[in-house]
Amino acid sequence: MTARRRGPSPELDKKLFAGGWICASWPKEYGGKGLSLMESVVLNEEFARAEAPLRADFFGDTLVGPTILQWGTEEQKQQFIRGSSKAPSPGARVFRSPTPGATWPR
């Protein structure tokens, strides 16, 4: 039997944010828990085993954030990463415009 995971759950997201489990693999100095690769794998396996709902903003903390952490300047890390793990939606924090109403350059 194949497990089927549910869609996003704002209630679960709030609990994960409160416990600091969003962006848990990010370094502590950027708001994460500093989990090792193996600890991150185990955490994700446990979420899957529990059939936890998928998160709508996973691109921010699993793709965009780690890319900025690896390749971004310290200024970019401070602007986009620091505190993102504590925001209501890390993906929204990473993707948002620094100036409300601003148009992104092409």
Side-chain angles (χ1 to χ4, degrees):
M1 181 167 96
T2 303
R4 187 170 181 146
R5 294 176 76 180
R6 298 170 302 228
S9 167
E11 297 80 25
L12 178 61
D13 285 352
K14 287 177 187 177
K15 290 179 182 180
L16 293 173
F17 288 122
W21 292 106
I22 301 297
C23 309
S25 64
W26 291 12
K28 290 181 180 180
E29 61 267 27
Y30 294 105
K33 288 190 175 286
L35 297 185
S36 70
L37 177 61
M38 187 55 67
E39 291 169 327
S40 296
V41 168
V42 170
L43 178 63
N44 288 324
E45 285 180 344
E46 289 301 313
F47 281 140
R49 186 177 66 80
E51 297 183 26
L54 297 173
R55 292 195 15 257
D57 62 349
F58 69 93
F59 283 114
D61 61 303
T62 60
L63 180 62
V64 178
T67 301
I68 294 172
L69 286 168
Q70 177 69 37
W71 303 106
T73 65
E74 188 57 36
E75 182 180 347
Q76 290 168 329
K77 292 175 188 177
Q78 292 298 322
Q79 181 179 358
F80 296 111
I81 300 298
R82 193 158 191 76
S84 291
S85 62
K86 305 299 183 217
S89 171
R93 167 97 167 86
V94 171
F95 287 121
R96 75 174 172 81
S97 169
T99 307
T103 302
W104 286 95
R106 295 179 197 240

